[in-house]
Amino acid sequence: MPDIDPWGDVEIGNYKQKMEKFGIDPIEEVEDRLPDHRFIRRNIVFGHRDLDTLLDARDEGEEFAMMTGIMPSGIFHFGHKCVVDQIKMYQQMGAQVTIAAADIEAYNTRDMSLEEARELVIEEYLKNYAALGIDLENVDFYFQSKAGNDHLMRSKLFSRYLTQNQVEATYGSAEPGKIASALTQYADILRPQFEENGGKKPTVVPVGLDQDPHIRLTRDVASKFKDQDFMKPSSTYNKFMRGLQGGKMSSSDPKSYIALTDDIEDAKQKIDEAKTGGRDTLEEHREKGAKLSEDMVFELLTFHLVKDDKELARIKEEYSSGEMLSGEIKQIAKQKLEEFLTDHQEKRREKAPEVEQYIEENFDFET
Ligand code: TRP
């Protein structure tokens, strides 16, 4: 079996070992060249490949791009918000932004119809993206199935540069549906560099470690492709937020996540039922303090709900020393969550018609 399966379960932890094995560099190396973002400061984005090249281009005032893809897997939750926050960061840095909706991949690997996939992309992803501050008019957004002939043609030409051994060693299988999706993804990743999009340029793809096999093979194909000169894409890697009950966060288990469209009372109840690192008895808790690494409420605060480092440090100190109780950290989380969701859901209502109009004007699904 391969060490990482992009279509399989998301594995948590063991980041160090995988970084060494696959040659991913620690983000600390380039930290002082990056914006002051909580994901970087808190090591949530922990690794990269070749980000220096992109940062050099930025420093020289040259063009650079950021590319990512949306896999329509279900309800949009806080786990998905990580990508959006990174898109915003690169956009503020001046990157051209490209976003692919992976409807072909969903069709081939998730047994979804193209219509279902598109509907999920629009309702769950784009409307939430817009509410979170992504302006679709400022990005190259497309559906894989509507990517255009040149895009899809290249995805086929890329096959010539791969061997069966390489594909099997990287993905553990050479199932046709997976290979077709993988090849489409290489074209997605190289799209910002297509001649019609201004040609060769540094491109960063922020992903979770599960997508690294695609990054590796795209880099390989980019260096071998004969018909056009490509730069090898750069990448960054973010940690996965764990589910509220510990273990993985999964769209198929509503108790494991808080959706950005969850009813506020339901969302608060999920916090109440979340796994914490609090001790069994009050006495033990006061004495030993909470186990922060096993506390999913603290994890949610760290990833999304507390932006200010000082405030987070204070919570960390009080909770891990036993001064703060699990009920108290939950209270903090519920209050922040309510504020965030109220604001977000209002923005989503506001932006929804714009998204629908944008889709109407830009895509024709009849053909
Ligand atoms: N395979 C990705 C996923 O499962 C989705 C995707 C499609 C993607 N094309 C991409 C991600 C290009 C990054 C870059 O989430």
Side-chain angles (χ1 to χ4, degrees), residues 6 67-71 100 102 105 110 144 185 188-189 205-207 210-211 214:
M67 198 284 140
T68 187
I70 295 174
M71 175 63 161
E105 182 176 7
R110 306 232 167 174
Q144 285 178 333
Q185 184 156 343
D188 293 339
I189 294 174
V205 192
V207 290
D210 65 315
Q211 296 294 307
H214 296 310

Side-chain angles (χ1 to χ4, degrees), residues 26-138:
I27 201 74
E28 288 89 337
E29 279 180 3
V30 288
E31 187 169 353
D32 54 2
R33 304 184 69 190
L34 285 168
D36 183 19
H37 192 282
R38 71 182 188 287
F39 283 176
I40 312 284
R41 294 194 307 265
R42 298 175 190 174
N43 214 44
I44 290 169
V45 171
F46 62 89
H48 77 100
R49 281 183 204 277
D50 259 5
L51 203 55
D52 320 68
T53 320
L54 179 127
L55 294 167
D56 291 347
R58 181 212 41 197
D59 293 348
E60 299 292 319
E62 290 160 10
E63 288 193 329
F64 62 101
M66 191 235 70
M67 198 284 140
T68 187
I70 295 174
M71 175 63 161
S73 55
I75 306 288
F76 189 90
H77 55 59
F78 273 100
H80 301 118
K81 182 174 174 285
C82 290
V83 188
V84 180
D85 290 341
Q86 293 179 74
I87 298 175
K88 284 163 63 180
M89 181 181 95
Y90 286 110
Q91 203 161 36
Q92 279 161 13
M93 276 169 72
Q96 295 174 13
V97 173
T98 301
I99 304 173
D103 57 347
I104 292 186
E105 182 176 7
Y107 182 95
N108 281 334
T109 66
R110 306 232 167 174
D111 268 336
M112 232 182 242
S113 70
L114 288 175
E115 292 73 24
E116 275 174 281
R118 289 165 183 165
E119 195 57 25
L120 270 181
V121 166
I122 297 165
E123 287 305 312
E124 289 302 328
Y125 293 79
L126 295 187
K127 289 184 180 176
N128 286 305
Y129 273 45
L132 290 168
I134 306 279
D135 179 4
L136 290 170
E137 301 288 351
N138 276 330

Side-chain angles (χ1 to χ4, degrees), residues 228-242:
Q228 198 206 312
D229 233 13
F230 288 123
M231 290 178 80
K232 289 188 188 182
S234 311
S235 49
T236 62
Y237 301 86
N238 60 262
K239 289 182 181 163
F240 292 112
M241 219 176 128
R242 287 171 292 177

Side-chain angles (χ1 to χ4, degrees), residues 53-320:
T53 320
L54 179 127
L55 294 167
D56 291 347
R58 181 212 41 197
D59 293 348
E60 299 292 319
E62 290 160 10
E63 288 193 329
F64 62 101
M66 191 235 70
M67 198 284 140
T68 187
I70 295 174
M71 175 63 161
S73 55
I75 306 288
F76 189 90
H77 55 59
F78 273 100
H80 301 118
K81 182 174 174 285
C82 290
V83 188
V84 180
D85 290 341
Q86 293 179 74
I87 298 175
K88 284 163 63 180
M89 181 181 95
Y90 286 110
Q91 203 161 36
Q92 279 161 13
M93 276 169 72
Q96 295 174 13
V97 173
T98 301
I99 304 173
D103 57 347
I104 292 186
E105 182 176 7
Y107 182 95
N108 281 334
T109 66
R110 306 232 167 174
D111 268 336
M112 232 182 242
S113 70
L114 288 175
E115 292 73 24
E116 275 174 281
R118 289 165 183 165
E119 195 57 25
L120 270 181
V121 166
I122 297 165
E123 287 305 312
E124 289 302 328
Y125 293 79
L126 295 187
K127 289 184 180 176
N128 286 305
Y129 273 45
L132 290 168
I134 306 279
D135 179 4
L136 290 170
E137 301 288 351
N138 276 330
V139 305
D140 173 19
F141 169 81
Y142 64 98
F143 292 87
Q144 285 178 333
S145 63
K146 297 272 167 197
N149 192 60
D150 287 344
H151 185 110
L152 297 171
M153 182 230 351
R154 287 182 188 100
S155 74
K156 291 179 171 45
L157 300 186
F158 293 156
S159 345
R160 173 165 137 192
Y161 305 96
L162 297 166
T163 65
Q164 177 150 1
N165 273 344
Q166 191 183 13
V167 169
E168 280 177 356
T170 308
Y171 295 118
S173 85
E175 261 175 71
K178 292 186 179 176
I179 302 308
S181 307
L183 288 162
T184 313
Q185 184 156 343
Y186 309 158
D188 293 339
I189 294 174
L190 295 172
R191 182 179 174 102
Q193 303 195 58
F194 291 170
E195 299 292 5
E196 60 271 32
N197 295 325
K200 187 171 161 180
K201 66 177 70 65
T203 306
V204 60
V205 192
V207 290
L209 255 183
D210 65 315
Q211 296 294 307
D212 190 52
H214 296 310
I215 301 285
R216 275 181 268 138
L217 292 195
T218 310
R219 286 168 60 83
D220 195 46
V221 166
S223 65
K224 292 178 178 156
F225 192 62
K226 289 208 167 47
D227 302 63
Q228 198 206 312
D229 233 13
F230 288 123
M231 290 178 80
K232 289 188 188 182
S234 311
S235 49
T236 62
Y237 301 86
N238 60 262
K239 289 182 181 163
F240 292 112
M241 219 176 128
R242 287 171 292 177
L244 292 170
Q245 313 281 327
K248 69 174 182 132
M249 188 179 289
S250 158
S251 297
S252 57
D253 175 11
K255 278 200 180 301
S256 75
Y257 63 76
I258 292 170
L260 272 65
T261 47
D262 266 348
D263 173 83
I264 288 168
E265 290 313 310
D266 291 349
K268 287 185 182 164
Q269 192 171 344
K270 288 182 186 179
I271 297 279
D272 276 331
E273 292 167 4
K275 177 173 181 245
T276 73
R279 307 284 175 169
D280 292 342
T281 63
L282 180 62
E283 198 185 5
E284 193 190 349
H285 189 90
R286 292 284 188 221
E287 188 194 326
K288 295 183 183 155
K291 282 193 251 173
L292 285 180
S293 63
E294 290 175 28
D295 198 284
M296 300 308 124
V297 180
F298 185 70
E299 186 146 316
L300 179 63
L301 294 180
T302 307
F303 269 71
H304 293 293
L305 294 179
V306 180
K307 298 255 157 78
D308 177 20
D309 281 0
K310 284 210 189 83
E311 186 181 357
L312 191 68
R314 185 184 56 78
I315 294 170
K316 184 172 178 176
E317 162 58 29
E318 290 180 10
Y319 195 34
S320 62

